[in-house]
Amino acid sequence: MSRYLVGIDLGTTNCALAYIDLQNRPTQNNLGLKTFPIRQLVGPSQLAERQLLPSFLYLPGEHDLPTGSYGVPWNVTIDYITGDFARTQGAKIPGRLVSSAKSWLCHAGVDRTSPLLPWGAPPEVQRLSPLEVSKRYLKHLIDCWNNSPNRKPEDHLEHQQVVLTVPASFDDVARNLTQQAATEAGFRNFRLLEEPQAAFYSWMGLSDALEITHVQPGMNCVVIDLGGGTTDFSLIEAVEQQGELAFVRKAVGDHLLLGGDNMDMALARHVEQSLPQVGKLDAAQFSLLVQACRNAKEALLGLNPPPEVGITLQGRGRSVVGGSVHTKLQLATIEKVMLEGFFPLVPANSTPDRSLTGGMQEMGLPYVADPCVSRHLAEFLNRHLSPSQPPDAILFNGGVFQPIRLRDRILEIMRQWYGEAWQPIILTNPSLDLAVAWGAAYSAWLSHTGGKRIGGGIPRSYYVGVASTDPTTTAQVLCIVPRHMQEGTDVAIPKPEMELALGEPVHFPLFSSTVRGNDQPGDIITAGADQLLELPAIQTILRGGKRSGTKTVPVTLSTRCTEIGTLEMYCVGKENDQRWRLEFNVRDIVGQNNYSAAAGEDQPTTISDLYDEGAVHEAQTLIESAFQGDFKPNELTKALESSLEQSRDHWPTAFCRRLWTVLENHATARNRSAQHLSRWYHLVGFCLRPGFGDTLDRYRIDQLWKLLATPGAAGSTTPPGGADYWIMWRRVAGGLSTAVQNTLMNRLRPILIPGKGKGSAKPPTNELAEMWRTAASLERIDLKTKQALGEGLLRQLNKAPLPNYLFWALTRIGSRRLFYGPMNAVLHPTVVEDWLTQLLTYQPLSDTERMNYLFCLSHLGTMVQQRALDIDDAVRQTVLARLESMGAAPSMIQQVREFVAVQQDEQSQLFGESLPIGLRLVGSTT
């Protein structure tokens, strides 16, 4: 049994740790709750203890600090800084500070397990994944605790009972990633707790006994939690249980990436716009300004504030004047920006403005479109309380509410809704910074002693999709977990009984809801898109045993809400009680079916077959005749078009995928002749393009890779098929995992970007062209390889004639909006600016070359409204002038001058050919 009960607040802005020592609790304090002083660097070689560990990580450059000045007692050779000194050092040197890692951990538009932070850092800076940064914060707490004086090995932190907090609105992917970070840091005995609940536990455990008596059964308390990265609303009801006061959580709000970070950025934008001589700052400079505004805000809204705080912008780069620019922030300015922008007076029936195209994207995060906290609060209260039932009590939490002025503003807004006679009980916590950690430790204490914990179970219901008549607006789903289900309990769903395919791919669309509170397990309902949050679907192959083969078995569903707050789902066999566990996909969460979620756009959708079964059967027969009979394979495509009375560009996605099944069954026959091999590659690539967008494409692409994993005959590294082989991989590249794309790139590297003195024999011209196009289509490969590919293409600008693939390949590699890849796979703008400098001196030699050249310029200069991705304004103006002088199409000029949505024909041109009919794609960076 552990000696300590520990609560950890893994915050966006600060981390904190509180604990109860079960062996040395003071008799005068029944709880004995303590805050752990966290040792950290506060300056070069200066260690000090602080109650908070700022959630900042600094990656020192070679000459930033004296050697050895950022070592810690438990790791003198550490190559990064965590905490207070990281924050202050990062405010001086741009591009090396990691902040808001917790917000990135719930960002569906990037690969959260890939190195991408610091976001917008120069190319030479080392990067870490949000998962790794979160792990390092937790590891710092472990190391600091374990290296405390006289700490016994059995009392090490990883062996204690730990409660780790997460936002109430975190979905299951973010919860699972938090769990993974804790496990990788070393924790073994931990559970997750929602932050608003933790704040309420702190009030329960530490507030004055008289204040608690003011809360009576039947009262509703709203917890308004505004932290550095998220806004959380929770509704907790006071009830009577066995004659005693108890509490039940009734509802939680939707996920809102809205908090102190947004306010700091709003202040930074205000300062930037008030200094026209500065111009538009680049991503690194803007990050420095955000840090400066955060410090100014905290000083001006704190106790005994100065009349104003100076801010210095260091001159750097082409977009600012030389030297430094100085300005001042005053309290009136901060209050105006925050009160008018985030806490305006709005009517009681307000709802967030969802017509906005998106929130501030300055730092790459998908912030909520409407930053008005007032409207989000009004919607939450109207959704869960009747207009005649105002909340009886309010608990404020989060660092944003440190200034009492902001708490008073919320009360002012709500009194406008409920009338001046409304006088809620304002619940108090001794510390807004430490309440979550304290409450987490108190929750562990209640669990240890059998005390009454907040009831209500999990805050959301879960569903499996069973049908969909209109996938963009409604979904027919089966409820598998009801809202308020208690953690650690199981639910068996005996009906409806289903047939489960074994040995074949299965697909489980998953949804959750925080607003549907009456659905019960087994209910089949139709819900609007505004009521359901789509989660990454489960796609897997279930096996029944070594000799079971492919078959179907009758099953029912069973679910379990684990003690740590995550969901498990099982298929249970009716005949022999076999159980198959279905796991959430938390690693490959950016890709085929989720790449545009962060942009708030529709997901890729497909339409059903347009042909009757007779036509489909005839097409399948033609393929079989070509690969098993005497029908000439080089005539197959025309025969299919003639049979279907439609050109191949008009074949719908679902029909193409059915043809793949026939081609897969005849894969061995592709080796009958060179013509058979060429036609098989051609049709496979065409039928599976672009590698994603249909339910089972991940499985199909995996099967294709297994078929072709060996590039050639024994002892050969050259794949058979020549150019057709690479065309096929280019067409399906969007469905290839990062690992597979890297494998393909390793085959291409010796030819396309050979090392010094290691040049390989060049393949035929047409095959070399397709190799370049394939390499350019691998959007998940690392940025250094992409940069090397681009530089290799630019060296070919002096060739005559110019290679026909050059501009298209360079466009795909350097595009500011990728076709399918995550945002962290976009090349740094300084790299592309150097490419543009070289391109701007080139003179096209033909009309075709001119059009390809202008297409390339417009896409390398496309505006995406993100400082970390957009090229410098001065370079952009040069590109615009070039486009205009050469008579570029208005659409090309417009996308460089301002942000515009990607058009379907533009996507097809980037892809290299037409996209499948019925498939709508939205790039991840739009």
Side-chain angles (χ1 to χ4, degrees):
M1 188 174 104
S2 65
R3 171 179 171 176
Y4 297 94
L5 305 175
V6 179
I8 294 177
D9 176 10
L10 182 63
T12 305
T13 308
N14 292 293
C15 301
L17 189 154
Y19 67 97
I20 298 171
D21 186 347
L22 297 176
Q23 294 184 10
N24 294 300
R25 290 176 45 241
T27 56
Q28 71 273 19
N29 182 342
N30 291 331
L31 192 57
L33 181 63
K34 297 181 180 180
T35 303
F36 178 69
I38 305 170
R39 278 189 295 169
Q40 56 196 287
L41 287 170
V42 296
S45 303
Q46 298 177 34
L47 276 172
E49 293 181 345
R50 297 285 189 268
Q51 287 188 323
L52 300 172
L53 176 73
S55 302
F56 296 87
L57 188 147
Y58 182 76
L59 300 167
E62 186 177 357
H63 305 295
D64 289 359
L65 295 163
T67 303
S69 64
Y70 45 91
V72 288
W74 50 86
N75 188 349
V76 296
T77 61
I78 196 169
D79 61 354
Y80 62 91
I81 305 169
T82 302
D84 188 275
F85 185 36
R87 178 175 57 187
T88 57
Q89 182 69 10
K92 300 174 184 176
I93 299 180
R96 292 188 172 272
L97 180 67
V98 176
S99 61
S100 303
K102 184 176 176 180
S103 297
W104 287 95
L105 202 65
C106 59
H107 187 352
V110 298
D111 182 350
R112 292 164 261 187
T113 63
S114 290
L116 57 96
L117 301 177
W119 183 249
E124 68 274 9
V125 174
Q126 172 197 2
R127 283 172 168 77
L128 302 172
S129 70
L131 178 66
E132 174 65 23
V133 174
S134 302
K135 183 184 80 172
R136 291 191 182 190
Y137 293 151
L138 293 171
K139 190 68 169 62
H140 184 99
L141 297 178
I142 288 177
D143 291 335
C144 186
W145 173 284
N146 293 350
N147 286 274
S148 299
N150 304 317
R151 186 75 73 198
K152 298 178 181 178
E154 60 269 23
D155 294 334
H156 282 185
L157 187 58
E158 58 267 36
H159 304 314
Q160 308 310 305
Q161 183 177 330
V162 174
V163 175
L164 179 63
T165 63
V166 294
S169 55
F170 255 21
D171 64 20
D172 284 80
V173 174
R175 284 171 175 259
N176 276 282
L177 288 168
T178 303
Q179 175 192 353
Q180 183 178 341
T183 301
E184 291 183 4
F187 289 106
R188 295 294 176 265
N189 182 19
F190 70 93
R191 63 181 174 88
L192 305 181
L193 176 68
E194 298 162 14
E195 289 164 2
Q197 277 200 62
F200 200 83
Y201 274 121
S202 178
W203 173 80
M204 290 169 58
L206 299 176
S207 64
D208 184 90
L210 180 62
E211 183 173 293
I212 293 181
T213 63
H214 295 161
V215 180
Q216 300 295 318
M219 286 186 172
N220 286 301
C221 172
V222 59
V223 182
I224 306 176
D225 185 357
L226 268 72
T230 56
T231 293
D232 267 336
F233 303 124
S234 287
L235 190 64
I236 296 177
E237 182 183 13
V239 298
E240 184 177 334
Q241 293 180 353
Q242 299 176 345
E244 296 182 358
L245 182 68
F247 298 97
V248 174
R249 195 248 293 103
K250 293 176 61 176
V252 301
D254 295 330
H255 177 70
L256 300 175
L257 202 60
L258 171 64
D261 286 351
N262 303 71
M263 298 170 192
D264 299 334
M265 281 187 289
L267 287 170
R269 293 179 72 177
H270 175 84
V271 171
E272 180 186 37
Q273 292 167 5
S274 67
L275 298 172
Q277 72 271 30
V278 170
K280 183 178 179 179
L281 303 175
D282 63 25
Q285 287 178 300
F286 189 75
S287 178
L288 288 179
L289 181 57
V290 169
Q291 298 296 328
C293 289
R294 175 182 291 131
N295 295 336
K297 179 194 71 177
E298 292 174 355
L300 291 169
L301 294 177
L303 296 175
N304 304 315
E308 57 189 20
V309 174
I311 290 179
T312 299
L313 300 180
Q314 296 180 357
R316 189 177 70 88
R318 290 169 292 214
S319 61
V320 296
V321 297
S324 299
V325 178
H326 305 276
T327 188
K328 297 182 185 296
L329 264 182
Q330 298 175 335
L331 178 60
T333 300
I334 289 180
E335 287 190 338
K336 180 180 180 180
V337 170
M338 295 182 68
L339 297 184
E340 294 182 5
F342 297 90
F343 303 98
L345 297 172
V346 298
N349 60 353
S350 295
T351 58
D353 187 353
R354 294 185 171 88
S355 66
L356 301 174
T357 57
M360 285 190 295
Q361 300 292 314
E362 303 285 1
M363 310 305 287
L365 287 163
Y367 292 112
V368 65
D370 188 342
C372 177
V373 175
S374 319
R375 283 193 280 266
H376 291 287
L377 177 60
E379 181 180 57
F380 172 77
L381 293 174
N382 290 330
R383 181 180 287 172
H384 299 291
L385 292 175
S386 66
S388 61
Q389 185 188 20
D392 304 286
I394 297 177
L395 177 64
F396 293 105
N397 189 61
V400 169
F401 286 126
Q402 289 286 8
I404 194 171
R405 177 73 180 89
L406 295 184
R407 285 173 268 168
D408 290 342
R409 178 66 165 196
I410 291 289
L411 294 174
E412 178 186 359
I413 293 167
M414 296 178 71
R415 283 198 179 95
Q416 180 182 272
W417 300 342
Y418 301 122
E420 289 298 326
W422 176 69
Q423 295 295 327
I425 302 170
I426 306 302
L427 309 182
T428 56
N429 264 325
S431 170
L432 291 170
D433 285 329
L434 297 170
V436 168
W438 288 346
Y442 182 60
S443 168
W445 165 256
L446 292 177
S447 180
H448 175 75
T449 60
K452 287 189 176 181
R453 295 162 58 188
I454 299 172
I458 61 174
R460 49 183 58 82
S461 46
Y462 290 90
Y463 307 84
V464 171
V466 292
S468 179
T469 56
D470 185 352
T472 64
T473 57
T474 60
Q476 191 171 5
V477 294
L478 168 70
C479 180
I480 57 174
V481 173
R483 204 170 84 187
H484 305 309
M485 175 177 166
Q486 292 297 321
E487 291 88 349
T489 58
D490 299 273
V491 169
I493 308 173
K495 293 183 180 181
E497 184 177 304
M498 293 169 283
E499 290 289 322
L500 179 68
L502 298 182
E504 295 181 6
V506 290
H507 175 79
F508 296 89
L510 295 176
F511 304 86
S512 69
S513 176
T514 59
V515 298
R516 299 189 62 90
N518 298 320
D519 298 330
Q520 296 301 312
D523 290 351
I524 296 179
I525 58 138
T526 299
D530 59 335
Q531 294 183 318
L532 297 176
L533 171 68
E534 186 171 0
L535 300 172
I538 294 174
Q539 299 184 51
T540 187
I541 300 177
L542 304 177
R543 305 293 184 185
K546 292 182 178 179
R547 295 181 175 84
S548 63
T550 300
K551 64 178 182 179
T552 59
V553 295
V555 297
T556 58
L557 292 179
S558 172
T559 55
R560 176 177 174 79
C561 180
T562 69
E563 289 80 356
I564 68 169
T566 56
L567 176 68
E568 294 177 354
M569 188 168 76
Y570 298 86
C571 291
V572 183
K574 292 281 290 184
E575 298 172 350
N576 53 12
D577 287 333
Q578 280 185 290
R579 289 166 64 87
W580 292 270
R581 180 181 176 184
L582 305 172
E583 297 185 3
F584 279 94
N585 175 17
V586 298
R587 279 207 169 272
D588 195 17
I589 48 184
V590 177
Q592 294 90 321
N593 298 317
N594 200 39
Y595 67 100
S596 61
E601 302 285 354
D602 295 338
Q603 297 298 298
T605 58
T606 58
I607 59 177
S608 302
D609 289 344
L610 300 177
Y611 310 120
D612 62 45
E613 285 303 305
V616 174
H617 178 73
E618 185 175 347
Q620 293 170 336
T621 301
L622 282 170
I623 294 175
E624 291 172 353
S625 299
F627 287 97
Q628 298 293 344
D630 297 329
F631 192 82
K632 294 181 179 179
N634 58 345
E635 298 177 0
L636 178 56
T637 302
K638 287 186 177 180
L640 288 169
E641 291 178 327
S642 176
S643 172
L644 297 167
E645 298 181 349
Q646 208 165 37
S647 70
R648 60 176 184 168
D649 290 339
H650 291 87
W651 297 349
T653 304
F655 172 72
C656 289
R657 299 312 193 250
R658 291 184 70 177
L659 293 189
W660 150 253
T661 302
V662 185
L663 291 164
E664 181 186 20
N665 291 337
H666 298 288
T668 55
R670 71 186 187 276
N671 294 318
R672 286 181 60 187
S673 70
Q675 286 188 354
H676 285 87
L677 186 62
S678 174
R679 189 53 42 194
W680 192 86
Y681 284 147
H682 169 79
L683 280 175
V684 165
F686 188 83
C687 290
L688 290 181
R689 76 194 198 288
F692 60 96
D694 193 71
T695 300
L696 295 176
D697 277 350
R698 182 176 301 165
Y699 169 77
R700 296 182 180 109
I701 298 300
D702 284 347
Q703 293 301 105
L704 175 63
W705 181 251
K706 290 175 182 177
L707 278 172
L708 304 177
T710 304
S716 171
T717 58
T718 303
D724 294 316
Y725 175 86
W726 296 111
I727 291 172
M728 177 195 66
W729 287 125
R730 171 178 59 79
R731 284 171 164 167
V732 304
L736 302 177
S737 67
T738 302
V740 172
Q741 288 199 3
N742 286 332
T743 299
L744 279 179
M745 188 61 231
N746 288 337
R747 296 178 187 172
L748 292 165
R749 189 184 305 272
I751 296 173
L752 304 185
I753 45 175
K756 292 183 178 180
K758 297 182 179 180
S760 300
K762 294 294 183 183
T765 301
N766 65 328
E767 183 174 358
L768 179 64
E770 296 306 333
M771 293 172 106
W772 273 108
R773 293 189 178 104
T774 299
S777 301
L778 303 178
E779 292 184 356
R780 296 190 174 102
I781 60 177
D782 66 274
L783 296 177
K784 289 184 178 179
T785 299
K786 287 187 177 185
Q787 183 175 349
L789 286 168
E791 291 168 353
L793 288 166
L794 288 168
R795 285 193 291 270
Q796 300 179 47
L797 278 175
N798 57 3
K799 285 188 176 182
L802 198 70
N804 59 7
Y805 55 79
L806 193 151
F807 289 125
W808 185 90
L810 197 62
T811 300
R812 282 296 300 269
I813 295 169
S815 178
R816 315 321 296 146
R817 291 193 285 202
L818 301 184
F819 182 66
Y820 61 83
M823 288 198 312
N824 53 286
V826 178
L827 274 169
H828 195 276
T830 57
V831 173
V832 176
E833 288 164 12
D834 289 339
W835 294 0
L836 284 167
T837 300
Q838 299 178 58
L839 286 171
L840 288 168
T841 62
Y842 182 77
Q843 295 295 332
L845 301 178
S846 66
D847 285 343
T848 299
E849 195 172 285
R850 171 181 159 276
M851 290 304 300
N852 293 335
Y853 171 73
L854 295 177
F855 182 77
C856 180
L857 285 184
S858 65
H859 278 272
L860 297 186
T862 294
M863 179 178 283
V864 295
Q865 290 186 323
Q866 290 200 33
R867 294 176 194 264
L869 303 180
D870 279 328
I871 63 172
D872 181 81
D873 278 350
V875 179
R876 182 190 317 284
Q877 292 303 317
T878 306
V879 172
L880 276 170
R882 181 71 163 168
L883 292 172
E884 291 169 347
S885 68
M886 296 187 67
S891 59
M892 292 184 180
I893 295 172
Q894 184 184 13
Q895 72 180 26
V896 177
R897 178 176 288 126
E898 61 190 32
F899 173 80
V900 293
V902 180
Q903 302 300 313
Q904 186 76 7
D905 56 348
E906 182 185 351
Q907 288 181 328
S908 295
Q909 191 169 351
L910 279 172
F911 179 57
E913 59 190 301
S914 67
L915 289 165
I917 296 296
L919 180 66
R920 177 177 181 269
L921 305 176
V922 181
S924 63
T925 58
T926 59

